[in-house]
Short mmCIF file of all heavy atoms in Angstrom, two decimals:
data_model
loop_
_atom_site.label_atom_id
_atom_site.label_comp_id
_atom_site.label_asym_id
_atom_site.label_seq_id
_atom_site.Cartn_x
_atom_site.Cartn_y
_atom_site.Cartn_z
N ILE H 34 -104.35 100.23 55.74
CA ILE H 34 -103.27 100.88 55.10
C ILE H 34 -102.58 101.90 55.98
O ILE H 34 -103.18 102.38 56.92
CB ILE H 34 -103.79 101.57 53.82
CG1 ILE H 34 -105.05 102.36 54.01
CG2 ILE H 34 -104.12 100.57 52.71
CD1 ILE H 34 -105.63 103.08 52.85
N SER H 103 -82.02 100.35 35.65
CA SER H 103 -81.64 99.08 36.15
C SER H 103 -82.72 98.10 35.63
O SER H 103 -83.71 98.49 35.13
CB SER H 103 -81.61 99.08 37.71
OG SER H 103 -82.96 99.33 38.23
N VAL H 112 -94.63 97.89 33.65
CA VAL H 112 -95.85 97.42 34.26
C VAL H 112 -96.80 98.71 34.54
O VAL H 112 -98.04 98.70 34.35
CB VAL H 112 -95.73 96.68 35.57
CG1 VAL H 112 -95.23 95.32 35.19
CG2 VAL H 112 -95.07 97.33 36.63
N THR H 124 -105.94 109.29 21.15
CA THR H 124 -106.26 109.22 19.73
C THR H 124 -106.33 110.61 19.17
O THR H 124 -106.18 110.86 17.95
CB THR H 124 -107.53 108.44 19.44
OG1 THR H 124 -108.58 108.95 20.38
CG2 THR H 124 -107.44 106.99 19.64
N ALA H 147 -97.27 103.26 44.90
CA ALA H 147 -97.29 104.70 45.29
C ALA H 147 -97.07 105.56 44.02
O ALA H 147 -97.69 106.53 43.78
CB ALA H 147 -96.31 104.91 46.38
N VAL H 153 -101.30 108.71 38.28
CA VAL H 153 -102.69 108.85 37.81
C VAL H 153 -103.27 110.18 38.11
O VAL H 153 -103.85 110.87 37.37
CB VAL H 153 -103.61 107.71 38.36
CG1 VAL H 153 -105.08 107.95 38.15
CG2 VAL H 153 -103.20 106.34 37.89
N GLY H 195 -92.12 82.89 54.58
CA GLY H 195 -91.44 84.11 54.10
C GLY H 195 -92.56 85.11 53.64
O GLY H 195 -93.75 85.04 53.97
#
Side-chain angles (χ1 to χ4, degrees):
Chain H
I34 47 179
S103 63
V112 294
T124 47
V153 171

